[in-house]
Amino acid sequence: MSMNSEGRVTRPETAAAASQAPATFTGNRALMLEEGLIFERDDYARTGVDLPEPPRVAGRLGGLERNRPIGLPGLTEPEAVRHYTRLSRQNYAIDLGLFPLGSCTMKHNPRLNEKMARLPGFADIHPLAPVDTVQGALAVIDELAHWLVTLTGMHAVAMSPKAGAHGELCGLLAIRSAHDAAGSDRSVILVPESAHGTNPATAAFCGYKVENIPATADGRVDLAALTARLGPDVAGVMITNPNTCGLFERDMKRISDAVHEAGGYVYCDGANFNAIVGRVRPGDLGVDAMHINLHKTFSTPHGGGGPGSGPVVLSEALAPYAPLPFVARQADGGFKLVEEETAGEDHPGSFGRMTAFHGQMGMFTRALTYILSHGADGLRQVSEDAVLNANYVLRSLDDLLEAPFGDSGPCMHEALFSDEGLAQGFTTLDIAKGLIDEGFHPMTMYFPLVVHGAMLIEPTETESKAALDQFIGALRSVAGRARAGDEALKAAPAFAPRRRLDETAAARKPVLVWKDEALPQAAE
Amino acid sequence: MRYLPLTDADRSAMLARIGAASIDDLFVDVPEAARLAGPIAGLPAHASELAVERHMSRLARRNLSAGEAPFFLGCGAYRHHVPASVDHLIQRGEFLTSYTPYQPEIAQGTLQALFEFQTQVARLFGCDVANASMYDGSTACWEAITMARRVTKRDKAILSAGLHPHYVSLAKTMARFTGDRLDAAIPDLTPGAPGDDMARLLAAIDGETSCVVVQNPNILGHVADLSELAARCHEKGALLVAVVTEPVALGAIRSPGEMGADIVVGEGQSIGVGLNFGGPYVGLFACAEKHVRQMPGRLAGVTADADGQRGFVLTLSTREQHIRREKATSNICTNAGLCALAFSVHLTLLGETGLRRLAELNHAGAVAAAERLAQVPGVELVNGAFFNEFTLKLPREARPVVRSLADKGILGGVSLGRLYPGEAALAGGLVVAVTETASAEDVETLAQALEAEIAA
């Protein structure tokens, strides 16, 4: 255990010294650079592109010509490169170090994925191009679909959802369609309180009433409470498995059986599929629909908040309702697109279209590249290492931080702690900000809601033991200070580009766009 | 398995620390019957970087990419030249491999970029505020309809005939489940038609209307003045939702906000983001300040840190799913951060001057192409006014023509028969988009091939 206590203690006097260091003329400090907004540069006549002189023609804009400046500043190429490079340096990223956000799954992003997604044959094709000119793209969708269906043990997959929450919507629309087709007007979706916030929001967004199901003391769905609530008005349940407490829902099969018995369907939030890929097939647990966050499980870059991609695997019962468009393999080995036109004969039960085109092709290419690199054997190793890393973190910290479900069995891919045992007035937030000064991105804070002051740590499988030991050491150091009531921790972070930011003030009087006193006239 | 750094020795040491005999001990909560003994059968094992590149490249070569052919496809996705530095900058690891900025002190780069994006979008659309992006234009359009329902407490939306049929299709899908009422129509191909079904829209607005949704330029490429429609909406207590699928047009024409739209949504793909066979794209969403608390999606806002220094945070999260759960304004969790960054970088490189010139180039090229293609015997130009996209009425069904052109290596446009299957009146329609990437030679190639097709 001693190695975990070797974390360097951030000396408060050092932190204070850094923030009190004399100001510089530029506001920059060595490699820490301040960067103003593009709107503050007064570069409204400048441009960073070299476009030819347009030929003189009589315009046909119907008298709608713009007659006022837009107010778009322009930067030349060197200025733009510098502006965005400087901004980039104010970000923490997985390329810089461990990013242990629970439930977000920040793992290494292989650059091969990027290279493949940028092949012109994938990146430079139009969604409405004649189908026989895009057979390779349809083959990518078909091949990825095959992997997803096989890894999950399901019947079919809807590829078009644009993100995880969009996938939830897809799954619920399929459930609703199945009930409609059966002439049943069930109106309630049951959502355990440990579920992601998107789950109840999604159920409400497609017209369902939402009822919560409590969790047991060991952090799992209360099977008795759930089965007691089942009835002819319940359309289905939405369960996250592994759940947001980082635990596997042992009773999943019994839950599914009970829900099916009562005439409902089981939606599984697959955000945490990376914990079991290659080891467990959700289809074997009775799941009817589950979205897969390609960006999490199959590592496509999160890019500061998306794009995501959320294909939904479906059971045999729900497959007929999958959305349009659909890729279908033909007898000659080619592929066709099932769209509105042919849906009537090929896919008559479809609930329709849920996005303009075919989904996140760029993400499909990346995910397939990643999947082929790992293979079936590698993906199994992925989940094993992700779970091993999380349990290692759990058992290396549970003597210092309260682990509310530490006795509930092994955790899956994420370790959950609470703020119990911290000194009076010290919170999870202080630990998170202290970790920033240690050079780490903090864990997920205050989620899941079932645990007070939750800290959810997801190391992922792409961290080495050495990286984990360093992180554990740093967290032990910060947690120790929070338990001891070290006041300097309340001022953290001291070394970040900004000290603690006032989020309350931002919400009270929102400033969401830059406003100039007067916009300069644009150059014609 | 080059992405996994643990060695077997590490694994053993870690299991010892955990107190587990084997990795299987960590999966004890999975019921025995659902535990897989080994790698799933029927799937290949891991492959080298070289082998994967070879496989993916082979698939890529089975597609005809836009750069290899005279290219004229639009209808909601446009091919523009993107400066090399855009892709270079978004591939910086600090942008590419960062997450949603939940810890603002170490995410100022993303947050400031999103704030700049919001400001650019708001100015481009002529609105007070914009969010930090949505999935794409089509889903943003449905979100706008639901927002109008929340604002007006009414549930009848009128969709213009010129709204992208996939956007209409999506709205119809959702409305079936939410109970929203939709009033939609299909466009009129009569040559010289005034632009849209403005008369129908004006007549349809009543006291139950939540919003009128109108696309500008519309699916046929028409541009129209929305001012009268906005005035009628406001008179009846409804909102005007404007949809922009080609934002480059706003370098040349007046913005929907200036014409009175209350909510403006759009597809941002054409600035900074490639065609990508339909995604990832970037949804744009802007509105009047008074409606900001009903706006879906993430927002970056200005604040100060403990030293009083300016900084940026995600804000107004009380509208969001992670706090309001079933009462949230939408279920959206992910936005399109990286694509929003690409949009913003490209727009920053263009600036006002560059965007206006790009728009002029597009318009001039489209006018020249429309005039040339209208000379093909039997072909009529439908549009009066347009920006970089227009509709031709062919003397025969357009779909086989498009197919046949593709066989000759020409991606000649989008047939309305594909977008509106079963609508015989539209079967002769061919929508042609002409951006700065299409040369005069490309136009001539298309004109001659079209002439041959029609004569055949």
Side-chain angles (χ1 to χ4, degrees):
Chain A
M1 204 51 81
S2 63
M3 58 187 300
N4 279 335
S5 304
E6 285 170 11
R8 177 181 56 84
V9 175
T10 310
R11 294 182 185 283
E13 58 271 28
T14 315
S19 66
Q20 286 160 19
T24 60
F25 174 77
T26 55
N28 301 334
R29 280 181 190 165
L31 290 175
M32 286 307 307
L33 306 171
E34 288 294 319
E35 183 65 7
L37 293 160
I38 52 173
F39 304 97
E40 294 169 318
R41 302 173 55 113
D42 207 19
D43 283 340
Y44 287 80
R46 208 177 291 241
T47 180
V49 295
D50 218 343
L51 294 167
E53 181 79 29
R56 295 239 162 262
V57 295
R60 300 184 65 166
L61 293 171
L64 284 175
E65 289 77 5
R66 249 200 200 272
N67 47 15
R68 268 193 277 166
I70 309 168
L72 296 173
L75 305 185
T76 58
E77 186 171 311
E79 292 170 312
V81 168
R82 226 173 244 173
H83 174 71
Y84 289 102
T85 302
R86 284 168 162 233
L87 287 188
S88 76
R89 293 173 52 115
Q90 299 180 16
N91 269 2
Y92 192 92
I94 192 70
D95 279 2
L96 291 166
L98 198 132
F99 209 132
L101 271 175
S103 207
C104 299
T105 314
M106 292 295 286
K107 58 170 77 168
H108 170 63
N109 282 128
R111 291 313 194 275
L112 175 62
N113 303 353
E114 296 304 305
K115 186 178 176 187
M116 294 301 96
R118 284 170 172 81
L119 292 172
F122 296 133
D124 197 23
I125 52 174
H126 193 281
L128 296 170
V131 169
D132 47 1
T133 68
V134 291
Q135 287 291 306
L138 300 182
V140 165
I141 296 176
D142 183 71
E143 196 171 329
L144 178 59
H146 176 71
W147 275 90
L148 298 180
V149 164
T150 309
L151 289 170
T152 54
M154 301 288 279
H155 191 78
V157 59
M159 298 298 285
S160 68
K162 293 285 205 177
H166 204 221
E168 292 175 24
L169 195 58
C170 173
L172 283 200
L173 295 183
I175 288 173
R176 184 90 186 255
S177 303
H179 285 307
D180 287 352
S184 131
D185 60 350
R186 293 163 179 252
S187 58
V188 175
I189 290 284
L190 304 180
V191 184
E193 59 184 12
S194 62
H196 289 148
T198 46
N199 293 174
T202 299
F205 205 62
C206 58
Y208 280 114
K209 279 182 278 188
V210 177
E211 288 185 28
N212 289 326
I213 296 294
T216 57
D218 84 342
R220 294 185 170 88
V221 177
D222 187 332
L223 178 65
L226 184 121
T227 47
R229 179 58 191 86
L230 291 172
D233 60 337
V234 174
V237 298
M238 295 182 87
I239 288 183
T240 304
N241 194 22
N243 72 21
T244 57
C245 299
L247 302 171
F248 192 85
E249 293 287 354
R250 290 178 191 133
D251 293 327
M252 191 69 202
K253 186 72 173 68
R254 291 164 70 188
I255 292 171
S256 302
D257 290 346
V259 173
H260 291 156
E261 179 77 15
Y265 291 97
V266 178
Y267 186 87
C268 182
D269 183 320
N272 299 334
F273 184 54
N274 62 311
I276 55 171
V277 62
R279 285 206 66 114
V280 182
R281 290 182 302 192
D284 295 338
L285 299 167
V287 167
D288 291 294
M290 181 180 92
H291 71 266
I292 299 168
N293 300 73
L294 294 184
H295 48 294
K296 297 184 183 189
T297 304
F298 302 118
S299 189
T300 73
H302 295 56
S309 180
V312 176
V313 287
L314 298 164
S315 63
E316 196 167 0
L318 294 186
Y321 309 103
L324 302 173
F326 215 73
V327 175
R329 190 186 278 267
Q330 292 175 293
D332 65 358
F335 299 96
K336 72 171 178 178
L337 263 177
V338 179
E339 299 188 271
E340 282 81 348
E341 182 173 24
T342 51
E345 50 194 85
D346 291 338
H347 192 47
S350 173
F351 66 69
R353 186 177 285 270
M354 60 184 305
T355 182
F357 303 117
H358 321 299
Q360 307 285 58
M361 182 64 200
M363 302 293 113
F364 300 161
T365 320
R366 289 172 175 85
L368 182 60
T369 302
Y370 176 84
I371 283 173
L372 294 173
S373 300
H374 264 310
D377 52 339
L379 290 174
R380 184 177 167 89
Q381 191 70 57
V382 160
S383 60
E384 291 184 359
D385 285 357
V387 170
L388 180 64
N389 279 355
N391 279 282
Y392 183 69
V393 168
L394 180 69
R395 296 308 166 199
S396 300
L397 286 163
D398 64 358
D399 62 320
L400 192 63
L401 283 172
E402 177 70 17
F405 304 118
D407 299 328
S408 300
C411 65
M412 296 309 285
H413 61 306
E414 50 196 2
L416 178 61
F417 299 97
S418 79
D419 62 355
E420 201 163 314
L422 304 187
Q424 182 70 34
F426 282 76
T427 64
T428 292
L429 184 77
D430 300 317
I431 292 190
K433 300 306 180 191
L435 267 177
I436 292 177
D437 277 340
E438 293 287 350
F440 286 105
H441 195 285
M443 70 296 272
T444 292
M445 312 183 296
Y446 303 106
F447 178 84
L449 305 175
V450 286
V451 168
H452 192 271
M455 292 174 236
L456 190 62
I457 300 174
E458 179 174 5
T460 83
E461 75 280 2
T462 59
E463 296 307 326
S464 68
K465 180 169 176 295
L468 292 181
D469 286 336
Q470 194 188 37
F471 171 73
I472 288 164
L475 186 47
R476 290 190 71 85
S477 168
V478 175
R481 292 170 62 201
R483 290 176 71 94
D486 177 354
E487 281 300 322
L489 192 58
K490 301 236 82 154
F495 304 132
R498 287 291 179 273
R499 307 267 314 284
R500 279 192 208 192
L501 287 155
D502 188 346
E503 304 193 31
T504 314
R508 197 167 291 149
K509 202 163 174 259
V511 178
L512 308 173
V513 293
W514 188 249
K515 288 193 177 115
D516 302 322
E517 287 307 309
L519 277 179
Q521 288 299 309
E524 287 301 324
Chain B
M1 284 172 241
R2 56 193 181 276
Y3 308 142
L4 302 177
L6 296 184
T7 63
D8 283 341
D10 291 333
R11 292 182 181 115
S12 302
M14 293 166 76
L15 284 168
R17 164 83 59 80
I18 294 164
S22 73
I23 191 76
D24 290 324
D25 285 2
L26 301 181
F27 288 87
V28 288
D29 287 323
V30 179
E32 188 82 48
R35 254 182 269 165
L36 298 167
I40 291 173
L43 295 175
H46 64 276
S48 70
E49 182 153 337
L50 176 63
V52 175
E53 277 198 54
R54 210 174 263 152
H55 178 78
M56 296 303 290
S57 302
R58 200 159 43 223
L59 291 175
R61 280 196 302 272
R62 287 174 62 188
N63 299 320
L64 177 61
S65 68
E68 294 174 299
F71 178 85
F72 299 93
L73 274 64
C75 289
Y78 301 87
R79 183 167 193 262
H80 291 286
H81 178 256
V82 181
S85 50
V86 174
D87 194 43
H88 169 79
L89 288 166
I90 70 163
Q91 283 209 69
R92 280 192 65 90
E94 303 92 328
F95 285 131
L96 184 77
T97 76
S98 61
Y99 197 68
T100 304
Y102 290 142
Q103 295 288 343
E105 294 85 358
I106 47 172
Q108 287 296 299
T110 290
L111 284 160
Q112 180 171 334
L114 289 178
F115 181 80
E116 292 179 344
F117 168 82
Q118 288 171 189
T119 308
Q120 287 172 319
V121 172
R123 290 182 178 186
L124 192 60
F125 281 178
C127 293
D128 301 331
V129 290
N131 74 12
S133 82
M134 319 281 288
Y135 306 141
D136 70 355
S138 66
T139 50
C141 176
W142 171 250
E143 292 281 348
I145 293 170
T146 65
M147 176 171 156
R149 184 214 305 145
R150 290 192 298 276
V151 169
T152 62
K153 312 252 187 323
R154 303 173 183 175
D155 65 2
K156 194 175 101 185
I158 303 169
L159 312 185
S160 109
L163 181 59
H164 196 297
H166 288 174
Y167 290 30
V168 174
S169 187
L170 186 165
K172 283 183 173 168
T173 296
M174 290 306 303
R176 268 210 330 276
F177 298 97
T178 59
D180 289 73
R181 291 175 289 163
L182 300 179
D183 177 355
I186 59 160
D188 178 5
L189 265 200
T190 310
D196 217 306
D197 53 349
M198 206 58 87
R200 175 184 78 95
L201 299 178
L202 287 167
I205 304 169
D206 61 20
E208 293 177 34
T209 306
S210 62
C211 62
V212 173
V213 185
V214 59
Q215 180 177 319
N216 202 34
N218 74 11
I219 188 66
L220 303 184
H222 287 305
V223 292
D225 190 347
L226 310 180
S227 309
E228 190 186 355
L229 197 57
R232 181 69 62 88
C233 283
H234 299 155
E235 194 182 298
K236 299 282 185 186
L239 302 187
L240 178 64
V241 174
V243 177
V244 179
T245 62
E246 172 46 302
V248 171
L250 299 182
I253 63 173
R254 293 210 292 279
S255 69
E258 282 177 72
M259 296 190 254
D262 302 280
I263 302 173
V264 185
V265 295
E267 174 52 73
Q269 173 273 330
S270 86
I271 298 180
V273 183
L275 289 170
N276 290 317
F277 199 48
Y281 284 179
V282 52
L284 313 177
F285 199 116
C287 70
E289 185 134 38
K290 63 182 171 187
H291 300 313
V292 69
R293 282 170 205 273
Q294 292 299 334
M295 177 160 62
R298 295 204 169 106
L299 295 168
V302 180
T303 190
D305 77 352
D307 291 336
Q309 287 219 81
R310 181 173 75 192
F312 302 89
V313 294
L314 289 181
T315 194
L316 295 187
S317 59
T318 47
R319 311 158 302 124
E320 288 186 50
Q321 36 77 21
H322 61 272
I323 294 182
R324 294 260 288 174
R325 294 172 76 89
E326 64 268 27
K327 292 191 173 63
T329 50
S330 84
N331 72 324
I332 291 172
C333 186
T334 300
N335 62 339
L338 198 67
C339 299
L341 178 68
F343 177 98
S344 193
V345 175
H346 191 187
L347 201 50
T348 297
L349 281 164
L350 287 166
E352 179 106 17
T353 309
L355 181 68
R356 283 179 173 245
R357 176 168 277 209
L358 179 62
E360 274 182 69
L361 269 175
N362 272 254
H363 186 54
V367 168
E371 285 169 2
R372 172 67 185 91
L373 293 168
Q375 287 168 13
V376 174
V379 170
E380 287 180 283
L381 175 65
V382 173
N383 304 60
F386 60 91
F387 170 62
N388 68 354
E389 191 171 23
F390 51 84
T391 301
L392 301 176
K393 193 171 180 183
L394 310 186
R396 52 178 285 213
E397 218 186 311
R399 289 185 85 173
V401 173
V402 167
R403 269 288 324 274
S404 186
L405 289 173
D407 289 342
K408 295 177 183 163
I410 301 166
L411 294 166
V414 177
S415 66
L416 288 177
R418 174 157 181 193
L419 289 176
Y420 298 92
E423 299 291 348
L426 299 175
L430 178 68
V431 184
V432 178
V434 183
T435 72
E436 77 286 356
T437 63
S439 66
E441 293 73 35
D442 291 342
V443 173
E444 190 53 36
T445 304
L446 173 63
Q448 289 180 16
L450 199 57
E451 192 162 335
E453 278 303 316
I454 285 164

